[in-house]
Amino acid sequence: MNTEQVDVLVIGAGPAGTVAASIVHQAGFKVKIVEKQLFPRFVIGESLLPRCMEALTEAGFVDAITEKGFQQKAGAKFVKDGKICDYQFADQFTPGYNWTWQVRRADFDKTLADTVEKMGVPVHYETSVTNIVFNGQDSITTVEDKEGNQTNISARFIIDGSGYGRVIPKLFNLDRPSTQVPRKALFVHTVDKKRSMADEPNRITIVVHQPGVWIWIIPFANGITSLGFVGNPDFFKQYEGTDEEILRDLIASQPYFAERFEDVEFAFAPKTLESWSSTTDKFYGDGFVLTGNVTEFLDPIFSSGVTLATVSSQTAAKLVIRKLNGEAVDWDTEYMQHMMQGVNTFRSYVTSWYEGVLDTIFFADNQDPLVKSQICSVLAGYVWDLDNPYVKNHETALHKLARTITLRDMVEFGAESGTLKAESKL
């Protein structure tokens, strides 16, 4: 069997794999990407966060993405029972990018892969990893193309950005059950002819449907709008029929959606995604590092997927470069603990969202501008900024804030009630 020699083998041509491949390639190392699927291919995760712009910039992708004319995104809007909480990334606490994009991932991912290929990194599609043998840091990976032809790839290091494919975790039994509650998404792309009803196409809108169930609206630049319902799997069981019939019934159950999306044309048959959360004990090993969704995917509510994918790959790529240059790398401190800071911050916000804690904060009256800017930074993906108390103290800060708001409102309501009673006696 033929054996090809590379410095770094990257598994997966999505955002995680291409960001890592570009950064390592720019450092002068020989890199190769193998990808199981043929691009373009559909994948969810369409609303990006500003923090990922730093990784995309370092990878040299921004110009190519800009040329595609994707919809720019300047913030996020949350809606519940007619109340609106609007976050503008320009108001965030942490210095950094204050905009990003909303993208159809098939086009976006293909743009990144095409760009890294133009840089000189070969991308082999429809090529599956069947076996990996490590000899210390060095490895021999066996891959198979769609015709069944096998090749060995000798690498000094492997970066696994295979996403839901989870190549190395599956090969070496590293997968572990997630602590996240299983949830389900039912979603579709719509031909959004009534978009004029929408206030701002340059943001994602998240609507609270009922406790624990929410809806996303993500407008794209080409007139297509992504629409999805997310909730506990049992929520969907109360509806009967095909996925399309269920989705149209759900649309009809919301007055705004019923008007805007009534009889809307679906660009494809509705899709479902269920029990997506997964994790692993360790994000690295002797001769490999896991990036992107291979590490841990939480939940779509705060659009953290692409940000965690690109930032983990940006971080891992720099560490791999140092390792190949003979420097010492503390993978636990510099990678695992660093990435878990971001993952755990997002996890606290995901948990608080489904517990209703964030409802209290998002839809409170008379919000403190500083606090709102600090929470906005988290929603922008700046979950590594320990100068932000809502990052540093993510496990407790949200609950304390919600209790303070509740107590304040009780006091104000009591004072108002007392005033009304006094006036009624006059």
Side-chain angles (χ1 to χ4, degrees):
M1 189 184 303
N2 293 331
T3 300
E4 181 180 356
Q5 303 282 337
V6 299
D7 292 311
V8 177
L9 173 64
V10 175
I11 305 173
T18 51
V19 164
S22 173
I23 293 173
V24 175
H25 171 75
Q26 291 178 57
F29 293 99
K30 184 178 181 181
V31 184
K32 179 188 182 75
I33 299 176
V34 293
E35 165 60 48
K36 185 175 182 179
Q37 295 182 283
L38 179 65
F39 281 24
R41 51 83 175 99
F42 180 86
V43 65
I44 203 66
E46 301 155 331
S47 188
L48 310 185
L49 301 182
R51 175 58 181 90
C52 74
M53 297 296 292
E54 297 175 20
L56 295 172
T57 298
E58 185 167 357
F61 293 155
V62 170
D63 288 346
I65 301 169
T66 301
E67 289 176 4
K68 293 294 181 179
F70 294 117
Q71 174 65 57
Q72 286 199 8
K73 173 184 174 182
K77 182 168 69 173
F78 296 83
V79 180
K80 179 182 180 182
D81 298 332
K83 296 194 74 174
I84 294 175
C85 176
D86 204 0
Y87 283 97
Q88 295 276 354
F89 295 141
D91 298 331
Q92 68 190 19
F93 170 80
T94 306
Y97 280 86
N98 59 18
W99 66 277
T100 184
W101 286 288
Q102 292 166 169
V103 299
R104 294 209 300 178
R105 285 287 303 280
D107 300 332
F108 177 76
D109 290 12
K110 184 68 162 59
T111 299
L112 303 193
D114 288 349
T115 303
V116 80
E117 201 163 19
K118 290 176 182 176
M119 293 176 176
V121 177
V123 182
H124 287 236
Y125 296 102
E126 298 181 287
T127 301
S128 301
V129 173
T130 60
N131 190 48
I132 302 175
V133 176
F134 285 99
N135 181 17
Q137 180 180 298
D138 297 334
S139 62
I140 298 291
T141 299
T142 303
V143 300
E144 185 175 298
D145 65 20
K146 62 179 180 179
E147 282 84 26
N149 301 311
Q150 292 190 336
T151 304
N152 281 338
I153 302 173
S154 174
R156 298 170 60 195
F157 214 93
I158 297 175
I159 299 176
D160 185 353
S162 57
Y164 293 119
R166 307 185 65 76
V167 171
I168 285 180
K170 288 180 178 178
L171 282 176
F172 295 94
N173 193 30
L174 301 177
D175 271 334
R176 296 294 178 266
S178 173
T179 57
Q180 291 295 116
V181 175
R183 295 187 178 91
K184 177 179 178 178
L186 176 62
F187 56 92
V188 75
H189 285 179
T190 67
V191 181
D192 193 3
K193 294 182 179 180
K194 295 183 179 180
R195 184 176 291 182
S196 59
M197 292 178 59
D199 297 333
E200 309 93 355
N202 64 335
R203 70 191 57 239
I204 182 175
T205 299
I206 293 171
V207 179
V208 178
H209 180 63
Q210 63 181 54
V213 182
W214 58 278
I215 312 160
W216 77 64
I217 307 172
I218 305 173
F220 302 136
N222 62 355
I224 297 294
T225 292
S226 180
L227 177 66
F229 283 73
V230 182
N232 187 293
D234 288 340
F235 164 76
F236 295 93
K237 291 179 181 178
Q238 61 187 303
Y239 294 88
E240 297 181 350
T242 65
D243 285 343
E244 177 167 349
E245 289 169 339
I246 293 172
L247 187 53
R248 291 196 182 276
D249 285 345
L250 287 169
I251 290 171
S253 68
Q254 275 275 348
Y256 171 79
F257 286 83
E259 183 179 359
R260 178 174 171 183
F261 296 106
E262 182 184 13
D263 300 324
V264 70
E265 179 186 346
F266 290 170
F268 52 72
K271 300 176 183 290
T272 61
L273 185 62
E274 191 168 357
S275 300
W276 46 68
S277 298
S278 57
T279 190
T280 183
D281 282 341
K282 211 170 185 181
F283 295 176
Y284 65 91
D286 200 7
F288 72 88
V289 61
L290 310 179
T291 68
N293 288 349
V294 187
T295 57
E296 180 158 6
F297 179 74
L298 295 170
D299 192 274
I301 176 58
F302 297 119
S303 306
S304 62
V306 174
T307 294
L308 291 175
T310 54
V311 174
S312 64
S313 291
Q314 179 188 29
T315 305
K318 294 177 180 178
L319 295 175
V320 169
I321 291 167
R322 284 175 46 196
K323 185 72 174 177
L324 294 181
N325 283 330
E327 298 180 35
V329 173
D330 184 342
W331 287 98
D332 192 65
T333 300
E334 297 182 75
Y335 186 68
M336 181 92 178
Q337 291 182 31
H338 174 71
M339 288 311 304
M340 287 308 299
Q341 165 63 46
V343 169
N344 287 333
T345 300
F346 273 127
R347 192 198 315 277
S348 291
Y349 279 70
V350 169
T351 301
S352 294
W353 169 258
Y354 285 104
E355 288 176 346
V357 171
L358 286 184
D359 278 15
T360 301
I361 296 169
F362 286 175
F363 303 108
D365 296 325
N366 303 317
Q367 296 184 29
D368 184 311
L370 175 60
V371 171
K372 188 172 182 180
S373 73
Q374 290 165 339
I375 292 176
C376 182
S377 288
V378 174
L379 302 183
Y382 287 93
V383 290
W384 292 273
D385 178 13
L386 296 181
D387 290 331
N388 183 346
Y390 289 91
V391 172
K392 184 177 181 179
N393 306 313
H394 60 86
E395 292 181 336
T396 58
L398 295 174
H399 288 79
K400 288 181 178 179
L401 177 59
R403 287 196 295 269
T404 300
I405 291 170
T406 300
L407 180 61
R408 179 203 67 182
D409 291 349
M410 289 174 62
V411 171
E412 291 180 354
F413 178 77
E416 290 175 1
S417 297
T419 299
L420 290 173
K421 289 179 181 178
E423 289 177 347
S424 67
K425 293 179 181 180
L426 296 177

